[in-house]
Each structure stands twice: as C-alpha cells, then as structure tokens.
Amino acid sequence: FFFNDTATTEIYTEQIVGSVRCVQETDKLLKTIISSLENLIKAIEGLIVMSVELEEVFNKVFDNQVPMLWQKVAYPSLKPLGSWINNFVHRLEFLQKWIDHGAPPTFWLPGFFFTQSFLTGTLQNYARKYKIPIDTLVFDYQVIPNDQQEIDLTRPPSDGCYIYGLYLDGAKWNDNEMVLDEPEPKKLNYEVPHIWLIPIEQSEVDKNKHVYECPVYKTARRAGTLSTTGHSTNYVLSINLPMANQHDQAHWIKRGVAMLTQLSD
C-alpha cells in the first residue's frame, strides 16, 4: 500500500483538493510503522541498540496501545492497537481502491486524514462550476434512508457528494420518520445512513427548518486544538438533522448528541 507521486497525481481532482495530502500523510504513517517494527526486530536480535523510542514501541504493542511514535504522524483515535490496525488497513484499502479505480461515487468520510480539506474541496468544485464565490457557500444536508430507491448511490451526484461511515452518539436515526429518535436502552452508538452534502448559497438556507445542528467529531473525546490550518484537530463540522415536532434543539443538546467518525472500541 505505498503511494507514489504518479498515483497521487492520478487521483487529484478539483473536488478533492485535500486528497493528495491525505495520501502523502498516509504513506508517511505507513513507512513510520514499517520502519519502527523492522528496527524493533533488529534491536531484539541485538543487531542495533534498543533506543528509548523503540522500547516505547515494544511496551505499547505489548499493552495493545498505539505507540507514541505512530501517534505523532497519525490521525486522532482512541482505539486500542488491534482495532486501530484494522481501521488503518480499512483506510489503506479505501485509498488504494480510489487510486486503482478512480474516485468512488460515495466517500467514506472517516478515511480522510484532513476531512476539512475534503469538504472545502467539494465547495470549491461547486463554486468553480457555477462561478460563485466560495465564501458564500454552505452545505445543505439530506439523509438517505437505507431502503430508499430514488437516489442511485452507485453514481456520484451532479453537485456535492455522498458520504457514509458516521456514528450517532446518544441518539439514533429513524428511517421511517426521517428524524432523530431516542436510543434503545444501553445502546449509545448507531450507524448513520448515507448523507448527501449539497452546496447551496447562504441566502438559500431555510432558517425555519426544524433541525438539530449536530456536531461531528473525529473521536469521542470531543475536544481538540487548532491546527496550523486554523481547523480543529477533532471537530469537523455540524450537520443539520431533522427532528420530530415534539423535540427542540435543547432536547438533544441535553443528551449530548453528536456524530463521530470512529468509535473508541
């Protein structure tokens, strides 16, 4: 799963301006993992000195935790090592399939190193297509039920993009009523159906919609810092989800309802 410059160029599109950097950072992480494990084996065999860094890798792997050496160049995650590896392999497969077969019709949002770059690229593509200033654009959202037949998810939309892979924390999605619903007892997380991100001008936003402004975070920690790009290292965006008439924003805020790109197990 190594990604070279040729492959990077092939997947570059106006819509996904952050995909190139995503591939480069994934490649960097992969090489760090391989290099540290190869050196760890040599150190165990006595061929090289067991440094403090390699000893930390050994101890973390033994404890089923992600080594700090890997975390420094990785994406935010609270998963134990076994689940973290499975998630990382899924990311590699997502990018490799993209490289081999072109951009997918639907995007696995958790698979991006820089999610905000992907979202900005989607708005930029729309802005260029219709010659509209990008700073006047926002997203509208449409949840696509799992059993629907009106929208063909095997083809990309004419505008915007389809995303999947999010989890609701503290609520569930009611496919029948197309609204947020109370979770079942002792079950906190639910998979969210595909969502259509539709670029629209800010003047077109319907402020009377009965929706919950649901924040999306990369991890369940729900806290981060500002990166050099000005974006949070954890918060991604807020997605408006329809509510039942008897509920208001405060109802779901008190329950701490949010969406996550990955769970902690």
Side-chain angles (χ1 to χ4, degrees):
F1 291 106
F2 282 99
F3 306 101
N4 54 40
D5 292 338
T6 301
T8 298
T9 302
E10 289 175 355
I11 68 166
Y12 183 83
T13 64
E14 290 184 357
Q15 183 179 11
I16 317 300
V17 295
S19 61
V20 174
R21 190 178 175 194
C22 178
V23 170
Q24 291 172 339
E25 292 298 323
T26 302
D27 190 28
K28 181 180 178 181
L29 173 57
L30 183 58
K31 289 177 178 177
T32 298
I33 294 173
I34 293 175
S35 174
S36 62
L37 291 178
E38 288 177 344
N39 289 334
L40 179 59
I41 292 174
K42 292 178 182 179
I44 293 174
E45 294 175 344
L47 300 177
I48 62 174
V49 176
M50 176 71 80
S51 65
V52 174
E53 198 172 58
L54 290 177
E55 185 178 0
E56 193 266 348
V57 172
F58 176 85
N59 290 331
K60 288 292 187 179
V61 170
F62 183 82
D63 294 335
N64 194 30
Q65 298 176 356
V66 182
M68 186 59 63
L69 179 63
W70 302 358
Q71 291 185 37
K72 290 179 180 177
V73 293
Y75 44 87
S77 179
L78 301 179
K79 291 179 177 292
L81 181 60
S83 299
W84 187 90
I85 290 293
N86 290 334
N87 179 266
F88 183 51
V89 170
H90 192 181
R91 289 168 180 260
L92 292 174
E93 292 172 344
F94 169 68
L95 291 174
Q96 192 66 62
K97 186 176 180 180
W98 190 345
I99 291 171
D100 294 339
H101 305 289
T106 61
F107 293 94
W108 183 49
L109 197 65
F112 290 94
F113 241 93
F114 305 100
T115 316
Q116 288 90 345
S117 294
F118 164 75
L119 299 172
T120 302
T122 303
L123 291 176
Q124 185 177 17
N125 186 62
Y126 184 88
R128 289 177 176 174
K129 180 179 178 181
Y130 295 101
K131 296 180 174 56
I132 301 172
I134 190 172
D135 58 357
T136 65
L137 296 176
V138 293
F139 281 118
D140 194 12
Y141 308 95
Q142 179 179 338
V143 180
I144 304 173
N146 290 316
D147 58 352
Q148 65 84 35
Q149 297 180 346
E150 291 79 16
I151 297 177
D152 185 4
L153 293 176
T154 63
R155 297 175 179 273
S158 56
D159 295 315
C161 62
Y162 302 132
I163 62 169
Y164 67 97
L166 298 178
Y167 297 88
L168 263 172
D169 187 25
K172 69 177 180 179
W173 179 254
N174 188 323
D175 257 354
N176 295 324
E177 302 294 331
M178 292 295 289
V179 294
L180 277 177
D181 204 351
E182 300 290 353
E184 298 172 9
K186 299 182 181 181
K187 186 174 182 180
L188 289 177
N189 304 114
Y190 294 83
E191 287 189 38
V192 180
H194 283 75
I195 299 177
W196 184 3
L197 306 186
I198 310 170
I200 62 172
E201 294 189 61
Q202 294 178 5
S203 58
E204 299 175 359
V205 175
D206 185 356
K207 297 181 180 180
N208 295 320
K209 277 187 176 181
H210 193 60
V211 295
Y212 170 60
E213 192 174 336
C214 185
V216 180
Y217 298 96
K218 293 180 181 179
T219 70
R221 183 172 287 146
R222 302 193 186 190
T225 58
L226 286 180
S227 63
T228 54
T229 62
H231 295 113
S232 170
T233 55
N234 201 342
Y235 173 78
V236 180
L237 80 164
S238 293
I239 294 180
N240 294 332
L241 298 176
M243 301 183 293
N245 292 331
Q246 69 269 26
H247 296 151
D248 56 13
Q249 288 258 12
H251 178 84
W252 299 112
I253 291 174
K254 290 177 181 177
R255 285 158 174 73
V257 174
M259 284 192 280
L260 309 174
T261 63
Q262 59 177 293
L263 302 180
S264 302
D265 53 7

